[in-house]
Amino acid sequence: QVQLVESGGGLVQPGGSLRLSCVASGSSFDYYGAIGWFRQAPGKEREGVSCINSSAGRYYADSVKGRFTISRDNAKNTVYLQMNSLKPEDTAVYYCAAAKYWFGSRSCYAPGIYDSWGQGTQVTVSS
């Protein structure tokens, strides 16, 4: 079972940028069909933000399309989420997750397909 550790969260002003990292240990991302980023704001359900599959196909929720970019560095066993033009509504705890299988783009935002989760990193967008 892979262990995932997120980092890079923090406090940023509206319009600012952050880059989140998700580092895997205990196994390689090469053995996983999809890596996803999710977020959960207080009082809200966890929502899928972005995902990347083993073929480097990238998918984004409408709420972040054009502002967020997901990427992966296989040599470093790391997946990144570059977040630009941040808005107060992006405030949440961000989690990365790994799924053993790819079920298609429509399924990559479903938490249930993921087998391993990180502990989360807080992102706060506020002036």
Side-chain angles (χ1 to χ4, degrees):
Q1 193 83 346
V2 68
Q3 289 80 48
L4 305 176
V5 178
E6 304 96 333
S7 62
L11 173 64
V12 64
Q13 292 186 343
S17 298
L18 285 173
R19 188 177 78 158
L20 305 184
S21 299
C22 173
V23 179
S25 62
S27 184
S28 170
F29 276 146
D30 292 343
Y31 298 119
Y32 287 80
I35 309 300
W37 282 99
F38 290 77
R39 66 187 181 187
Q40 189 165 19
K44 295 188 177 182
E45 292 189 356
R46 190 169 297 190
E47 64 167 338
V49 172
S50 180
C51 59
I52 186 167
N53 63 20
S54 56
S55 301
R58 309 177 190 191
Y59 304 89
Y60 302 94
D62 288 342
S63 58
V64 306
K65 201 170 293 183
R67 300 188 298 122
F68 290 11
T69 302
I70 191 170
S71 61
R72 63 192 296 168
D73 185 332
N74 291 336
K76 295 183 178 180
N77 226 12
T78 301
V79 171
Y80 303 98
L81 187 68
Q82 177 68 42
M83 306 187 296
N84 298 329
S85 302
L86 282 162
K87 305 175 181 180
E89 51 264 43
D90 294 318
T91 295
V93 178
Y94 282 71
Y95 301 88
C96 70
K100 292 182 180 178
Y101 304 104
W102 172 250
F103 293 99
S105 59
R106 291 186 179 182
S107 298
C108 83
Y109 304 115
I113 73 162
Y114 291 88
D115 304 286
S116 300
W117 291 82
Q119 83 291 346
T121 185
Q122 175 71 46
V123 171
T124 303
V125 185
S126 175
S127 55

